[in-house]
Structure formats: C-alpha cells, structure tokens
Amino acid sequence: MIHIIHRLDVGGLENGLVNLINQMPADVYRHAIICMTDYTAFSERIQRDDIGLYALHKREGKDLGVHVRLWRLLRRLRPDIVHTRNLATLETQVTAALVGIGARVHGEHGWDVGDTDGTNLRHRRLRQLVRPFVGQYIALSRHQMGYLNDCIGVPPARLNHIYNGVDTRRFHPPATSDDRRAMLPADFVRSLLTSDRSLPAAPQVLIIGAVMRMQVVKAPLELARAFVHLRDLLPDAFSRLRLLLVGEGTLRDAAVDILAEAGVADQAWLPGARDDVPELMRAMDLFVVPSLAEGICNTILEAMATGLPVIATDVGGNPDLVQPGITGSLVPAADPIALAETIARYASDPERCQREGQAARARAERDFSLTAMVQGYLRVYDKALGQTPLARD
C-alpha cells in the first residue's frame, strides 16, 4: 500500500497517517509513504521498521517532472492500493490510474489554506475532473461528506466517513494536580497577585492553552486579541490568567507583538514547536481552537483525551467533536470578542471546566479510539479491492 502526501511534517493529517500505520496489524498490509516534496524528523514517530519512505522533491508551482518521477516509482513498487490525501495530492490519482493501479482511495482531511470553505472554482473543478479516477473517498467530517456529495457529485456508495482516533494512553489527564505545571517556566505560572517570588504557582492561576501551526487558517492572532480583550472583561481576575500558545509558523512573531504591545506579554508563553505536547496539555485548564476552517481537528481530540473543556470555532468538523454545554463550546470564527466572552465564562466557573473536561475525556474514550479508526480504514481498503470487509479483532 502506498500513501501519498504533500510533506511528512508536524500536522494533523500527518499525525493521523503515522497513527494509522503504527496501529494497523503488521500482517495485513505493507506500507510505503511517498512525499511529493520531502519529509522531516517527524518520520521518526513511525514505530515500524519496514516502512518505505520516499521524497520526490516537487518544486513550487507547476512541476510536471514530479509526475514522471512518481510514475516511475509506482511502476517499481507496484502497490495494490494507492491512498492520496487532500487537494495537494489529488491529481496523482490520475498518475496511479495510468500505472494500472486499480484500488485508489482519496482522503479529504481539511480545507486548503487559500480555500477555507471549498468554494474556489478552480479547486472544485479539479475535484470534479479527477472524481472518475477515485475509487473510494474518505471524509473526516460530516461537513466534507456533504460537500463531496452535493458539490463534487461523489455518489454515496463511494463515500466513507471515518473519524480520526486519539491515543488515550499518551494523552490523558494528569495523575495528580501537584506537579502538572512543574515543567512550565516559573515566571509564567507564578501568580501576579503576590510579589513573593519564592512561592510556587498559586492555585488561582488559570492556563488557557492552544496547539497549532501558526498560519492564517489556524487564526493565532484572533486568540492573541481575545486574550488581550479578557483584560477588559475580567479586570479583577485578569492577573491570574495565562496564555500558553504552542506551535511554530509565520504568524508567531505577529502574535508575540500583539501581546507585547498590549502589555500582557508576561502572562503569555509561546514556546514554539515542542515534542512534549501531551505534558504541556496536562498543564492547561482550558483548550481553545480559533481556526477559520478545519476538517477533524486532532488537537481537539487530544485535548478531550487530556480531560480539557474545548472552545472551538463553529467551522468544518469542529461541531462533530465539541458538544456545546457538555464537552465545551462553539463560537463564531474570526470573532475575537465572542471568543473572549466565552473564555471569560469558563474562567469564572471552575466547576464547569472540571465537569466538561471529564465529559470530554469520557467521549474521547468512547467515540474516538484508535481501534475504531483503524477498523474504518481497513473496511475502505477492502471495499477498494473489491473484497468483502473482513471481521478483524
């Protein structure tokens, strides 16, 4: 089986692929990953040593040569199944068909950065033109299922809905409350309500957290602006609030500037990309996803598994995951005032944070297991090969 992706780097799509390969029974399929551009040290998260990994080094813009290189590689590897993911690799379905690979699967994991709702006519036309070459589609959200059926014309028999799974052993609530903030900088977690620098983190400090790529579609600047606005909404309590914004990208410096210009930089920590995200999540009290568009957001699943209530924008697949009033809240996208007002309600109600966090953990365990995700993919692969889906443990 060949998985074709744009680049193997830190991200939700890539994390889902690694989880799938790591969790799938080794005796069912042999795997190889073809990256249209390149791969990074993120590939070291693959736990199997029998995975082929190839980079085609696609140039920016049009690069017809990359399809020649892909054609030659596919001819050499001769896979039974080719599975492409997202718009950036969709046209390689045609290349796979020309090689003679009969079982072809395409997954829609999220929207393109420049097309956050699927309305771009050029992108829509490309999806429609390639549609005859795709045997089975996988959509991660109900929103994408509807889009593929209504706008692209994919018949229901070729549509499959699979939620991402989350590793509930790696992402879990803190065992105790005593040391969950120990890894954070002392100046960041120390309460501003006391000047005694020898005191540990005061219990009233509340950490508002987020993990994201710092790019436009993830809207880190909206979260920074919302945090600044909390100073007006909660003038008496603002000194106990903290913002922990994990991730790297082109907008990180702009987010830092917004916080610094407002004079709240000492209440925020933006540590960049990290390898200890599970531990950092266990230090948070509330999780926020301010994105302009999403498929099925892995960080929401990870936050839920960690036992955090989640405030997310009402876009894409977020409503599939967040149950308002039960596991979190949904807010309008690109509205930092509404986001700040919702955060303020949680900051003023610690019992709600605890109650919804516990419900989020329970739902992650019940509905978003890695086992269910793997079984879903195996059923689609069987269907693509024309086989009767097998009952697998």
Side-chain angles (χ1 to χ4, degrees), residues 369-384:
S369 71
L370 289 174
T371 299
M373 179 190 74
V374 170
Q375 290 297 320
Y377 278 96
L378 288 174
R379 283 191 292 271
V380 174
Y381 296 150
D382 286 342
K383 191 188 300 185

Side-chain angles (χ1 to χ4, degrees), residues 4-9 13-14 34-39 56-60 85-86 88-89:
I4 302 179
I5 62 174
H6 180 68
R7 176 180 170 86
L8 186 56
D9 200 353
L13 181 157
E14 297 81 2
I34 298 177
C35 304
M36 298 299 289
T37 55
D38 206 348
Y39 54 88
L56 297 180
H57 304 292
K58 180 182 182 296
R59 297 191 300 270
E60 288 291 331
R85 287 166 169 82
N86 273 359
T89 65

Side-chain angles (χ1 to χ4, degrees), residues 16-292:
L17 171 58
V18 170
N19 282 338
L20 177 64
I21 290 175
N22 287 341
Q23 297 294 321
M24 188 174 289
D27 60 347
V28 177
Y29 289 106
R30 290 183 298 115
H31 300 267
I33 301 172
I34 298 177
C35 304
M36 298 299 289
T37 55
D38 206 348
Y39 54 88
T40 69
F42 186 80
S43 60
E44 297 172 4
R45 297 193 183 187
I46 299 172
Q47 297 169 2
R48 292 172 54 172
D49 57 8
D50 60 342
I51 307 300
L53 188 57
Y54 306 89
L56 297 180
H57 304 292
K58 180 182 182 296
R59 297 191 300 270
E60 288 291 331
K62 294 294 183 182
D63 182 4
L64 295 179
V66 75
H67 293 282
V68 176
R69 297 192 294 276
L70 175 62
W71 184 84
R72 289 172 177 165
L73 183 56
L74 291 176
R75 290 267 296 178
R76 177 160 62 90
L77 297 175
R78 285 291 177 182
D80 295 304
I81 302 174
V82 164
H83 183 169
T84 61
R85 287 166 169 82
N86 273 359
L87 186 69
T89 65
L90 178 59
E91 60 191 31
T92 66
Q93 287 277 327
V94 180
T95 309
L98 292 174
V99 172
I101 300 166
R104 300 182 300 274
V105 177
H106 180 69
E108 290 285 354
H109 291 245
W111 300 111
D112 187 75
V113 173
D115 182 21
T116 57
D117 56 4
T119 57
N120 182 289
L121 291 179
R122 185 169 62 87
H123 293 172
R124 182 178 295 191
R125 185 58 178 158
L126 175 61
R127 288 186 170 100
Q128 291 169 340
L129 288 171
V130 178
R131 181 189 62 210
F133 295 91
V134 181
Q136 293 293 323
Y137 284 84
I138 295 172
L140 270 61
S141 71
R142 291 175 296 178
H143 182 245
Q144 289 168 315
M145 285 279 286
Y147 174 81
L148 289 171
N149 183 221
D150 299 337
C151 301
I152 308 304
V154 180
R158 292 164 57 196
L159 281 172
N160 305 272
H161 181 205
I162 302 175
Y163 283 126
N164 278 344
V166 61
D167 188 343
T168 55
R169 292 172 298 181
R170 183 167 180 247
F171 292 90
H172 61 81
T176 67
S177 59
D178 295 337
D179 59 352
R180 67 189 185 98
R181 307 218 211 264
M183 63 182 303
L184 303 180
D187 286 344
F188 174 64
V189 294
R190 184 178 295 109
S191 173
L192 299 182
L193 300 178
T194 176
S195 59
D196 188 346
R197 299 179 63 84
S198 66
L199 292 177
Q204 64 266 34
V205 168
L206 183 137
I207 297 182
I208 302 155
V211 179
M212 67 178 74
R213 285 178 176 172
M214 300 283 191
Q215 55 184 239
V216 173
V217 72
K218 299 300 183 180
L221 306 188
E222 302 300 315
L223 179 53
R225 294 184 182 109
F227 186 75
V228 172
H229 187 61
L230 284 169
R231 183 172 51 189
D232 298 327
L233 294 177
L234 300 171
D236 296 329
F238 183 72
S239 62
R240 70 183 181 89
L241 303 184
R242 301 290 184 275
L243 176 64
L244 172 52
L245 185 46
V246 182
E248 193 55 77
T250 57
L251 293 182
R252 182 175 176 273
D253 289 345
V256 171
D257 289 343
I258 288 173
L259 297 165
E261 289 171 6
V264 299
D266 57 348
Q267 291 176 243
W269 185 37
L270 286 75
R274 301 276 295 210
D275 292 327
D276 54 353
V277 169
E279 292 78 13
L280 288 174
M281 280 191 170
R282 284 191 281 275
M284 299 173 184
D285 299 293
L286 177 65
F287 197 79
V288 180
V289 178
S291 305
L292 304 180

